[in-house]
Amino acid sequence: MKTGSLHAIVVKKTHSIKNNLLCTNNLRIVWLSSTYKGHVHDKKICDEKHLPLPKGIRLWQDTGFIEHRPDGVKICMPNMKPKGKEFITVEKKEDKRISGVSIKVEHALGGMKKCCIVKERFRCHKFAFENIVDSIACGLHNFRISNIMSHITN
């Protein structure tokens, strides 16, 4: 329990879960990892579930995957700000360009979370049901994206 001067806030702990995903430039989710407990680090999930990537592609990844470097893949990752220093203007421009690409992953996650069961508190932990729900949500998101794209191209 956290206490302030006038208010007391009760914080209830929850058991969170997490997945890693890989999506294309047009928000299509092409790979979803199996579900892990929330405290497992993102890089550890990638190390356990080796994903064979085609050689020569550009992989945009978050700073949580700093040491993850697959063979034959060009890594694009935002720069970390030096401690006690400011960014150079070139680094700022590069980070702005990278964040413009990585926001698409957030949009894909948001599209997946249109299925309310994915974003709400999940209480059924039997039979790897979390994996099934996440896979269905990804499939529905991809169907929605392909439906939108077919209307745009026609």
Side-chain angles (χ1 to χ4, degrees), residues 83-105:
K83 202 169 195 176
K85 297 180 182 176
E86 291 297 321
F87 271 141
I88 309 169
T89 55
V90 176
E91 290 176 340
K92 279 185 183 179
K93 286 181 182 178
E94 180 67 18
D95 277 358
K96 192 167 189 174
R97 185 177 72 86
I98 290 172
S99 68
V101 174
S102 63
I103 194 71
K104 293 183 178 187
V105 177

Side-chain angles (χ1 to χ4, degrees), residues 22-28 30 60 100-102 104-105 149:
L22 186 67
C23 73
T24 61
N25 201 20
N26 61 354
L27 307 180
R28 190 172 187 79
V30 294
W60 301 84
V101 174
S102 63
K104 293 183 178 187
V105 177
M149 296 305 278

Side-chain angles (χ1 to χ4, degrees), residues 42-95:
D42 294 335
K43 185 190 172 299
K44 186 174 181 181
I45 295 172
C46 277
D47 289 342
E48 286 180 8
K49 300 289 182 183
H50 179 69
L51 179 65
L53 297 169
K55 295 198 182 292
I57 68 166
R58 183 175 291 174
L59 181 65
W60 301 84
Q61 62 185 23
D62 197 1
T63 53
F65 301 95
I66 285 180
E67 294 298 319
H68 181 68
R69 302 217 179 265
D71 295 332
V73 174
K74 185 178 185 313
I75 302 292
C76 295
M77 189 179 340
N79 297 316
M80 305 266 301
K81 182 179 167 228
K83 202 169 195 176
K85 297 180 182 176
E86 291 297 321
F87 271 141
I88 309 169
T89 55
V90 176
E91 290 176 340
K92 279 185 183 179
K93 286 181 182 178
E94 180 67 18
D95 277 358

Side-chain angles (χ1 to χ4, degrees), residues 11-19 35-40 117-125 130:
V11 180
K12 187 172 182 177
K13 295 181 181 180
T14 60
H15 298 281
S16 61
I17 57 174
K18 80 165 47 170
N19 297 80
T35 304
Y36 287 84
K37 293 182 180 179
H39 64 76
V40 178
I117 192 170
V118 176
K119 66 180 177 181
E120 298 296 328
R121 189 169 181 184
F122 195 71
R123 292 188 174 99
C124 182
H125 302 289
E130 299 106 339

